[in-house]
Amino acid sequence: MIKLKSLKILLVVLFTLLKFCCCEDYGFQLLFTSNTEELEDTEIKFERKLPKWLKGTLVRNGFGKFEMGMRQFAHSFDAFAKLSSWKFDGNGSAYFSTRFIESSFYNDSLATDDIAPYLLFEGVIPEFSAYDKMKALMRGIDNMNVNVYKFYNEERNSSEYVALNDFWKIYEISPWDLTTLGAVTPHIGERSLGGSFGFLDLLSSAHPLPEPGTRNHITFLSSVSVIPFFSNTISLIRIKSAVEREVIAKWDVGRVPYMHSFSVTENYAILFANPFYVNVLRMLRKAEPFECLDWYADEPTTVYVVNLNSGELITMSTINVFTMHHVNAYERKDKIIIDVSAYPSPEFVKSLQMEILRDPTQRNAFDAHAQLKRFRINLTKNKINYVKRDPKTKIPYSMNLDMPTINELYRASRYCFVYGIVLKTDNINLSHISIVKRDMCRRGRDRSLYIKYHYPSEAWFVPNPRRKSEDDGVLLVPILDGVRQKSYLAVISAKTMKIINRSYLPVVIPFSLHGRFFDEIV
Ligand SMILES: *[C@@H]1O[C@H](CO)[C@@H](O)[C@H](O)[C@H]1NC(C)=O
Ligand SMILES: *[C@@H]1O[C@H](CO)[C@@H](O)[C@H](O)[C@H]1NC(C)=O
Ligand SMILES: *[C@@H]1O[C@H](CO)[C@@H](O)[C@H](O)[C@H]1NC(C)=O
Ligand SMILES: *[C@@H]1O[C@H](CO)[C@@H](O)[C@H](O)[C@H]1NC(C)=O
Ligand SMILES: *[C@@H]1O[C@H](CO)[C@@H](O)[C@H](O)[C@H]1NC(C)=O
Ligand SMILES: *[C@@H]1O[C@H](CO)[C@@H](O)[C@H](O)[C@H]1NC(C)=O
Ligand SMILES: [Fe+2]
């Protein structure tokens, strides 16, 4: 009897050991595995009372499905868009919802049980036919899986909630139940955009920014000319509602760069034109944007500074760098400070292919580290400088922060704190991911949170309405618990970077990119 019992214990111990030792990043693959379950307002429990002031809804966008029928996406960025939301009613209760964005792309794909021919960042396996590739090029990108945002419509005196990709077209969504309300192709004045070569005409940003002192927002529009002798252009755009926009400035460019985000200060917009340019001829042939962008490792980065009021453009250049996410920017007398999270090259983004992400050896082999970089523009001299400075930190990897977020009340103002994640913090496993707070004012307030076999995504900061400091608030972070193979939402004190509490969800959330907290949605 005793023998049998000890044998059982031994077996349990062996099993547990096996479970941990065989898979150095247990459960990580679930971030890149389809989950088709949809839920609406499922109550979730936090064991500890949440702060009473936490009221509103966190809506996040990201990946839901990585294949349809017999066909698969080659690159994770092409996964079908799926929204998730956490509603806090301010009485300690919380409700979770998750739903696919019912875009034309998603609907057509479901109806045919195959990936429908719309433009993707990379190819599909098996490949589209030449005819379908042409069709995809004409239709452009329809899969808005990157971000969510709120515009204000003055005419209707109401907010409009949208899902975005790096593209001019957007989808309007309901933040209450995550239903898709419909596609919007914004127009400029009377002119409705949407040429015959969808993607090439209408590159834009999944990261609009508020225009300080107004209820408008700012974005850009890049247009690649497919007609010889017609010039390529970049426009800085003022967003007056989901559909109504106006041009602040428009200028010709020799080549069109891939840009994902930009910065706005009180009076200026700052665009970093990565030396990563659209190769038009290859694009027309292959219809796969990531394969049709050429990286110039020896060229400087062109920087455009546009005056938001006059539209005046100043062009400068700085070090060669590939910037995905701008963190924040602000003016100080005759200078502008700009912080970005950049990479040495686009190799990182290219590496986020399904085949690489699903294979531990391959995914651990590429350089997964972003680098926080500060630039300073002298407005008297019209020059930009990369500010190389001693990071002054006890957490050296805090400089490798990716997916940056800030206290949005400090947008376009002098600020100190940036929150984000750092991949591969052990320099071995991509899946070794820490949640990091970096003090840009270098007063030793860097913090980091790491939980073994747990995989966090972007950390969104929600301020305490009675805040006493910039970091008085909580971070809401969806995390996949690789051991239990379940996702949960962590509520983290932004001050201490300790978990206040968490709530497990009835489903796994595949990797999510960006989200936002809307305090009016309860
Ligand atoms: C990281 O990789 C090493 C070597 O493969 C492995 O022993 C370790 O368990 C991994 N750690 C984590 C946290 O993923
Ligand atoms: C959540 O709160 C309960 C009750 O106070 C506590 O026992 C538990 O440790 C907390 N969980 C986390 C992850 O902080
Ligand atoms: C929260 O509780 C208060 C008082 O108990 C109640 O008046 C209010 O309606 C509740 N709010 C929600 C969203 O349930
Ligand atoms: C996709 O299908 C759903 C369900 O039939 C519908 O409500 C939605 O409007 C469709 N989307 C588009 C973009 O037509
Ligand atoms: C706009 O709506 C808000 C609340 O929805 C209301 O308080 C305000 O008076 C309205 N403004 C105008 C100009 O109608
Ligand atoms: C900007 O350049 C001008 C002219 O060279 C110089 O006088 C000024 O000190 C510079 N400002 C900053 C902030 O470096
Ligand atoms: Fe982004």
Side-chain angles (χ1 to χ4, degrees), residues 161-174:
Y161 302 84
V162 299
L164 315 93
N165 201 330
D166 283 338
F167 200 59
W168 187 245
K169 180 181 184 177
I170 52 183
Y171 270 91
E172 198 173 343
I173 56 153
S174 159

Side-chain angles (χ1 to χ4, degrees), residues 281-338:
L281 292 179
R282 193 142 26 99
M283 186 69 203
L284 291 174
R285 208 170 58 238
K286 292 205 68 165
E288 292 172 15
F290 275 0
E291 293 296 306
C292 307
L293 287 158
D294 297 328
W295 172 247
Y296 296 87
D298 303 322
E299 288 193 14
T301 302
T302 304
V303 177
Y304 299 111
V305 181
V306 186
N307 186 309
L308 294 172
N309 311 303
S310 67
E312 187 200 353
L313 168 77
I314 309 163
T315 306
M316 327 175 170
S317 80
T318 188
I319 56 166
N320 175 282
V321 68
F322 179 66
T323 301
M324 273 299 269
H325 293 110
H326 286 238
V327 179
N328 196 12
Y330 57 92
E331 294 168 32
R332 301 284 294 159
K333 297 195 188 105
D334 69 337
K335 60 183 177 183
I336 300 175
I337 307 294
I338 308 156

